[in-house]
Amino acid sequence: MSSKADEFRSSVLRRHRVRDRLARYVRDGYSCGTLLAYETADDATDSRRLLDNPPFVQYAWRDDLRLQIEVQGDQFRNEPYSNHQRRLLLDMGFAAPFEAGDDFCNWTHFREAEGCEPRSAATCMIDALWWVHGINFHPWSIAQKLGTPYWQFQWSISSERIDIEAELRRRHGRN
């Protein structure tokens, strides 16, 4: 990479690849998934900085076909969210932990109908990692050059799948 524009494009491309992978899981009806972000050590090894509770986003298809998106709750973090981070989450449509009920200990956002569009839902999750947690999507070489953390992502996707389209047709009497 020789120019700043190339560096920027490669970071955007990595963010889009992560978003598109997440959107594919949502679109293909995987019932739930979690994406954890680990800050790597300063060397090129796969070792991860030890965090008890790395930043994460997750989604789950609910029985009523709403999409439940969650961002790590304050009590699961090594330090509480700042006022700025809380404002960002609220502006993105998330309800504070337990605001939606006792079963919702994370920041939770419910989406329905067009809000469940996979790319839009995935963008919401990626934006939460990026804006709220400050996770960048720089490739290793660029992160090293800029002196910023390099983040690796760990995927945990349910093997259970639902046919969203068939379920919608069934519920709305369309065959």
Side-chain angles (χ1 to χ4, degrees):
M1 301 270 151
S2 58
S3 74
K4 295 218 183 272
D6 289 337
E7 291 174 358
F8 176 76
R9 275 192 292 277
S10 64
S11 296
V12 169
L13 182 61
R14 184 169 186 239
R15 187 176 72 242
H16 287 183
R17 280 194 305 261
V18 173
R19 182 209 55 210
D20 291 348
R21 182 176 175 183
L22 192 50
R24 187 175 64 246
Y25 292 132
V26 171
R27 180 193 66 233
D28 291 349
Y30 287 93
S31 62
C32 60
T34 302
L35 177 60
L36 293 105
Y38 289 94
E39 184 179 347
T40 61
D42 291 335
D43 58 23
T45 66
D46 188 30
S47 64
R48 295 177 174 156
R49 190 171 133 204
L50 297 177
L51 290 176
D52 292 333
N53 301 301
F56 71 82
V57 292
Q58 58 190 13
Y59 76 91
W61 282 106
R62 297 180 56 84
D63 290 341
D64 60 4
L65 293 183
R66 287 185 301 161
L67 191 61
Q68 179 178 330
I69 297 174
E70 296 183 351
V71 175
Q72 184 178 32
D74 297 74
Q75 70 278 18
F76 300 117
R77 293 175 40 86
N78 293 335
E79 59 185 55
Y81 286 111
S82 68
N83 288 335
H84 176 72
Q85 289 170 308
R86 285 188 175 100
R87 276 193 307 277
L88 284 171
L89 286 163
L90 291 170
D91 288 347
M92 293 175 72
F94 286 89
F98 303 108
E99 188 175 299
D102 290 342
D103 292 335
F104 303 99
C105 56
N106 291 312
W107 287 81
T108 307
H109 180 50
F110 295 100
R111 290 177 155 227
E112 53 190 302
E114 292 84 8
C116 295
E117 190 277 324
R119 197 169 193 171
S120 173
T123 297
C124 174
M125 290 182 266
I126 295 304
D127 285 351
L129 287 175
W130 189 22
W131 296 344
V132 177
H133 291 279
I135 292 168
N136 69 62
F137 293 85
H138 300 313
W140 170 259
S141 60
I142 294 172
Q144 198 169 32
K145 180 179 176 182
L146 296 173
T148 62
Y150 173 73
W151 294 88
Q152 291 184 344
F153 303 103
Q154 178 181 341
W155 300 85
S156 178
I157 306 299
S158 168
S159 60
E160 182 182 329
R161 292 172 71 173
I162 54 176
D163 185 338
I164 304 296
E165 188 174 325
E167 189 62 27
L168 284 170
R169 279 193 301 256
R170 184 186 70 73
R171 288 178 186 218
H172 297 288
R174 298 179 193 137
N175 293 324

